[in-house]
Amino acid sequence: MSAAILASEAQAAGVSFPILTFLVVTPAIGAAMVALVNNRRPEIAKQVAVLFGMATAALSIGVLALFKTGVAGYQLVEHARWIKEPQISWALGIDGISLWLVVLTGILFPISMLGASPHENEKPYYAWLLLLEAGCLGTFVAKDLFLFFIMFEIVLVPMYFLISGWGYDDRKYAANKFFLFTMFGSAFMLVGILATAYLHAKGGPVTFDLQTLAEHQGVIAKTTARWLFLSFAIAFAVKVPLFPFHTWLPDAHTQAPTAGSVILAGVLLKLGTYGYLRFGLYLFPEAAVWAAPAMVTLGVIGITYGAICAAMQKDLKRIVAYSSVAHLGFIALGTFSLTTQGISGSVFQMVAHGISTGALFLLVGMIYERRHTRAIAALKGLQKPAPIFAAFFTIVTMSSIGLPGLNGFVGEFVILQGSFLTRRWWTAVAVMGVILAALYLLWAYQRVFHGMPDEDNASFAELKFTEGLALAPLLLIIVFMGVYPKPIFDRMEPSVTHLVQHIEEHTDYREPGVARKGPEVVPVSERHSEEASGQTHADEHGDATENGEGGH
């Protein structure tokens, strides 16, 4: 289906400009344009790729500008019939949960292109990167389960070729391991998607529309719904990855090229955490409540296990890889705390982790380009010949540790605050992960940057202007999110609140400190004042619905 057809159908549906369609299609067109570049002029490939990457980033910022604060439901919705029977549609939409992941994706891809370059075969390298971006963006904005699955699977192919084609010594092994693990998980999800759609149909029209399936709860028996939830959960657990499905991640990170590691940590892993929110909790609320103790247990194990493994690594890149396992454990803990604070913190931490860990991988890649090694034992005293480089590394490290005033602190604090309401003992154990993160990251930083450099490290090159230009936006975002996170929470919280309310409406679960009044959930502290004024959140929700911007 061409972009022109999609645009015309979206306009017929009342959408003046199908920005989400163009958001997904633009990098795919860029990949085709890169492939058409003359083989005798490979340097043009990067220029074309950066141009389309920047255009996609501009579209993601445009989505942010068009997004209306205070609205819980999907916005900028586009819908075009793709297959008549079963009913499969090019259905796109964005809410407060997916908004910031779209912006994160739009920002990270051009930065990764500018901050790291391949040593050979530039054309296919940049073409795969742009196709990967199209798949990631399509995953975050898809409102049709079948479309989501296609986008979810598309990303495997570019990442496989990026690792196997431009990685390091064991790249073939790491690429095969990555592909086999994720394909294994996706097979379960495909079965779950098909079963969910056909069981909901009960002999009638089969639809893969997310909202239709989610809002008609009770059609599928409780035990069956739990099995379906597990089919999705396994796929997302591999993608996150949660313990014990994490073993592919350190190898993939270590062997991937620098840009591949940045995108893998910053965006691809978020497909799994986003999947739990969008398809696990929303589609199967009762099963999510039932599975929550097991999921937070896996998350907490990942926090401690990832931190301990990171402290034992001798390769700087593997330390950052295992730190991702620990940080993603925090996101799982917040997600399955099933509280507004916990889930909001998880969404915030997805973005914070993508920025901080992406910057760390860029910096580690720059170290490798200068020294041709990532072995901590071979690196020493780098701050003396390169103080600006060390300063950049310091800020990003402190962000990953969770220093107050930087983005990592906000996400982890809100997650722990929200999870403490429902999972106190798990939260107490998770706090140890914060301490362990400071241990392994500060210890690694001390060994690499402190002390007197030897002869090999004394000539370590200072940060280049172009490298600083690529890193500067990430550092600004790290500080902004840590100092003033309000704009981010303002746009995500209505959607998160609606999700928690959806879980409460279809289960016996009740969020601590929140009282239900009719179909709506209001804080206990606000209940009496609202009764006195005769104005409830339900009225506000109704007004939004009448304006065409209402809830799911």
Side-chain angles (χ1 to χ4, degrees):
M1 184 177 294
S2 68
I5 295 175
L6 293 172
S8 64
E9 293 201 30
Q11 289 175 349
V15 180
S16 58
F17 178 70
I19 188 169
L20 296 184
T21 293
F22 278 91
L23 184 73
V24 176
V25 171
T26 297
I29 295 175
M33 294 298 293
V34 169
L36 294 175
V37 170
N38 193 318
N39 290 329
R40 297 179 181 179
R41 299 291 304 276
E43 70 279 2
I44 299 179
K46 181 173 183 177
Q47 299 172 10
V48 174
V50 171
L51 176 64
F52 276 91
M54 295 297 290
T56 306
L59 286 170
S60 69
I61 299 300
V63 170
L64 176 60
L66 293 172
F67 191 86
K68 296 181 180 179
T69 306
V71 177
Y74 281 103
Q75 301 183 39
L76 307 176
V77 174
E78 301 171 24
H79 186 277
R81 180 63 57 84
W82 187 1
I83 299 174
K84 185 175 181 180
E85 184 61 38
Q87 296 176 9
I88 299 175
S89 303
W90 177 269
L92 309 180
I94 194 164
D95 67 351
I97 294 173
S98 56
L99 170 67
W100 294 109
L101 295 172
V102 167
V103 175
L104 171 69
T105 305
I107 291 173
L108 271 188
F109 270 88
I111 288 177
S112 66
M113 295 175 192
L114 291 170
S117 300
H119 296 290
E120 57 183 4
N121 298 330
E122 292 189 352
K123 273 185 56 177
Y125 173 85
Y126 288 113
W128 285 128
L129 266 180
L130 287 168
L131 186 60
L132 178 62
E133 182 176 18
C136 291
L137 289 169
T139 303
F140 290 135
V141 300
K143 289 175 69 268
D144 182 281
L145 264 68
F146 193 82
L147 178 62
F148 169 82
F149 178 79
I150 290 175
M151 295 296 179
F152 193 82
E153 292 302 288
I154 281 177
V155 302
L156 302 185
V157 178
M159 183 53 70
Y160 170 81
F161 283 109
L162 285 169
I163 296 173
S164 64
W166 292 269
Y168 298 99
D169 295 339
D170 293 329
R171 58 185 181 272
K172 299 293 185 182
Y173 167 78
N176 288 333
K177 192 174 182 180
F178 159 77
F179 196 87
L180 291 174
F181 264 73
T182 48
M183 279 293 291
F184 169 81
S186 297
F188 283 91
M189 185 170 67
L190 178 60
V191 173
I193 287 174
L194 294 174
T196 300
Y198 279 90
L199 288 174
H200 264 276
K202 288 189 174 298
V206 177
T207 179
F208 291 88
D209 181 73
L210 173 63
Q211 291 174 272
T212 302
L213 297 174
E215 293 301 330
H216 291 82
Q217 295 291 322
V219 177
I220 300 176
K222 181 188 294 186
T223 302
T224 305
R226 291 178 177 181
W227 281 108
L228 293 174
F229 171 85
L230 288 176
S231 69
F232 283 81
I234 291 172
F236 298 142
V238 173
K239 185 74 80 174
V240 172
L242 286 178
F243 178 92
F245 303 99
H246 69 284
T247 56
W248 65 266
L249 181 64
D251 292 323
H253 267 314
T254 304
Q255 300 304 323
T258 298
S261 293
V262 172
I263 300 306
L264 181 60
V267 181
L268 253 68
L269 304 186
K270 308 310 182 300
L271 301 185
T273 53
Y274 170 78
Y276 278 122
L277 287 171
R278 178 64 75 227
F279 301 95
L281 274 60
Y282 187 43
L283 272 180
F284 309 104
E286 191 281 331
V289 174
W290 165 75
M295 299 302 297
V296 296
T297 300
L298 294 179
V300 171
I301 292 174
I303 292 170
T304 53
Y305 175 82
I308 293 171
C309 289
M312 299 171 63
Q313 300 306 308
K314 299 178 181 180
D315 184 303
L316 193 57
K317 199 174 186 183
R318 289 185 74 87
I319 290 178
V320 182
Y322 274 107
S323 75
S324 289
V325 176
H327 285 112
L328 292 162
F330 275 103
I331 296 173
L333 172 64
T335 298
F336 285 94
S337 69
L338 304 179
T339 63
T340 303
Q341 284 179 311
I343 296 175
S344 296
S346 294
V347 177
F348 188 97
Q349 188 65 8
M350 289 183 210
V351 182
H353 173 265
I355 297 295
S356 301
T357 306
L360 272 178
F361 276 119
L362 273 178
L363 288 162
V364 172
M366 293 172 188
I367 291 176
Y368 184 84
E369 290 298 316
R370 288 160 166 78
R371 288 284 289 108
H372 301 291
T373 182
R374 296 187 301 263
I376 296 175
L379 303 169
K380 184 180 180 182
L382 299 186
Q383 69 177 4
K384 187 170 184 180
I388 298 177
F389 188 98
F392 273 64
F393 205 103
T394 301
I395 295 172
V396 177
T397 299
M398 293 303 172
S399 166
S400 188
I401 290 172
L403 184 73
L406 301 177
N407 60 354
F409 171 79
V410 178
E412 290 182 357
F413 178 78
V414 176
I415 286 172
L416 293 173
Q417 195 176 25
S419 63
F420 187 77
L421 297 173
T422 55
R423 310 291 173 191
R424 295 191 175 185
W425 290 109
W426 286 268
T427 304
V429 177
V431 170
M432 296 300 298
V434 179
I435 300 171
L436 292 172
L439 170 66
Y440 64 75
L441 284 172
L442 289 178
W443 189 30
Y445 179 87
Q446 182 183 38
R447 288 178 287 170
V448 172
F449 287 93
H450 288 186
M452 292 299 296
D454 54 23
E455 183 178 352
D456 293 331
N457 293 306
S459 59
F460 187 86
E462 181 59 282
L463 192 73
K464 300 175 185 177
F465 176 77
T466 53
E467 294 172 336
L469 201 62
L471 288 167
L474 300 181
L475 266 64
L476 291 174
I477 295 172
I478 285 172
V479 175
F480 179 83
M481 291 178 66
V483 174
Y484 190 57
K486 185 177 183 295
I488 300 171
F489 283 113
D490 284 348
R491 286 160 178 78
M492 76 168 67
E493 283 186 345
S495 297
V496 172
T497 301
H498 184 86
L499 176 60
V500 175
Q501 178 189 335
H502 175 79
I503 295 171
E504 291 192 320
E505 287 176 352
H506 297 98
T507 68
D508 294 330
Y509 168 78
R510 296 295 178 267
E511 183 178 3
V514 177
R516 175 181 291 276
K517 184 168 62 176
E520 194 68 27
V521 178
V522 296
V524 174
S525 59
E526 299 178 6
R527 180 177 52 183
H528 299 297
S529 61
E530 288 188 346
E531 288 174 350
S533 64
Q535 185 177 16
T536 65
H537 291 298
D539 296 328
E540 298 173 6
H541 180 67
D543 293 339
T545 305
E546 291 174 4
N547 293 329
E549 302 165 351
H552 299 289

